[in-house]
Amino acid sequence: QSVLTQPPSASGTPGQRVTMSCSGSSSNIGSYSVNWFQQFPGTAPKLLIHSNSQRPSGIPDRFSASTSGTSASLAISGLQSEDESDYYCAAWDDSLNGVVFGGGTKLTVL
Amino acid sequence: QVQLVESGGGLVKPGGSLRLSCAASGFTFSDNNMNWIRQAPGKGLEWVSYISSTGTTIYHADSVKGRFTISRDNAKKSLILQMNSLRADDTAVYYCARGGYQLPRGAFDIWGQGTMVTVSS
């Protein structure tokens, strides 16, 4: 299983605000920045958030993220049908000397 | 435009070898650390290897250590993953991904389209 723990699924209705969590430990989230990726089926992932809470250019401000201790969360406000996708968190881990990912959360827009 | 294009994937027998390449364009390749990340069919993302911008620092995931080797040629703007002693559980789409300039490790801001590696007899 994955070093970072994410719930396998989440859901919401259009316009709603949804959050998804990412839980780690002191060797990863507790010490290093968290990054979030969005991936649609059959396509490469896309960087959504880096450095815990920073959006790359072109990412709508409906997407936000935060960290606290050894956990992180991604929030999507004003949910849209096109947000239906898989979301992954990732961070450096100094006990493994590598990047670790969460198992991913599949977001369904009802 | 900024682009990464992988090649070299295919079908290989267990115990065999494969060499993946990633051609970069549209940016100063030597400015960025680079990574390989894979995704088994129907599964999540797994980081495989990291190489610093100058090639002096390299990390591999425990699952591939001793079997895979990452390298780069900054003059040719090329990233390589040499994969030996392949196993069935190495079957995956392999992505080349750029580490964002001056961003934390794990902030992969540009991804290739991926190349499929299938290990099967």
Side-chain angles (χ1 to χ4, degrees):
Chain A
Q1 62 241 36
S2 305
V3 174
L4 303 183
T5 301
Q6 296 183 253
S9 63
S11 63
T13 56
Q16 199 174 23
R17 181 178 187 270
V18 296
T19 62
M20 55 192 79
S21 62
C22 174
S23 177
S25 68
S26 58
S27 62
N28 41 67
I29 294 177
S31 302
Y32 298 94
S33 295
V34 178
N35 309 286
W36 291 87
F37 301 89
Q38 178 188 54
Q39 185 182 32
F40 295 103
T43 68
K46 174 182 173 182
L47 182 64
L48 207 57
I49 298 282
H50 67 81
S51 308
N52 295 329
S53 61
Q54 303 302 303
R55 287 186 310 277
S57 63
I59 302 299
D61 59 6
R62 302 187 297 104
F63 294 89
S64 63
S66 63
T67 60
S68 178
T70 59
S71 292
S73 65
L74 174 71
I76 308 173
S77 59
L79 196 63
Q80 300 178 3
S81 58
E82 55 259 40
D83 297 331
E84 187 162 288
S85 182
D86 294 325
Y87 294 85
Y88 293 91
C89 58
W92 183 259
D93 188 300
D94 62 17
S95 68
L96 297 174
N97 269 339
V99 175
V100 291
F101 281 95
T105 296
K106 183 176 184 61
L107 174 65
T108 300
V109 180
L110 301 170
Chain B
Q1 72 279 25
V2 176
Q3 197 172 8
L4 297 171
V5 179
E6 303 95 336
S7 60
L11 175 63
V12 61
K13 289 182 167 52
S17 297
L18 216 51
R19 180 180 169 93
L20 304 184
S21 298
C22 172
S25 59
F27 66 99
T28 305
F29 183 68
S30 57
D31 278 350
N32 296 80
N33 65 60
M34 296 295 297
N35 299 262
W36 288 99
I37 293 147
R38 69 184 180 184
Q39 187 169 33
K43 302 296 185 183
L45 300 170
E46 179 188 14
W47 170 81
V48 174
S49 301
Y50 161 101
I51 186 166
S52 62
S53 58
T54 60
T56 53
T57 301
I58 286 174
Y59 299 109
H60 293 288
D62 287 344
S63 58
V64 307
K65 208 169 286 183
R67 301 187 299 122
F68 290 12
T69 302
I70 190 173
S71 62
R72 65 189 296 162
D73 184 331
N74 284 346
K76 294 182 178 178
K77 303 184 78 170
S78 174
L79 178 72
I80 301 293
L81 185 68
Q82 178 65 43
M83 305 188 296
N84 299 329
S85 303
L86 282 160
R87 311 186 303 221
D89 61 359
D90 294 318
T91 295
V93 173
Y94 284 74
Y95 295 102
C96 163
R98 185 180 85 169
Y101 181 67
Q102 295 187 340
L103 293 186
R105 288 172 182 167
F108 310 124
D109 65 345
I110 301 293
W111 296 64
Q113 84 287 354
T115 186
M116 183 71 204
V117 171
T118 303
V119 184
S120 174
S121 54

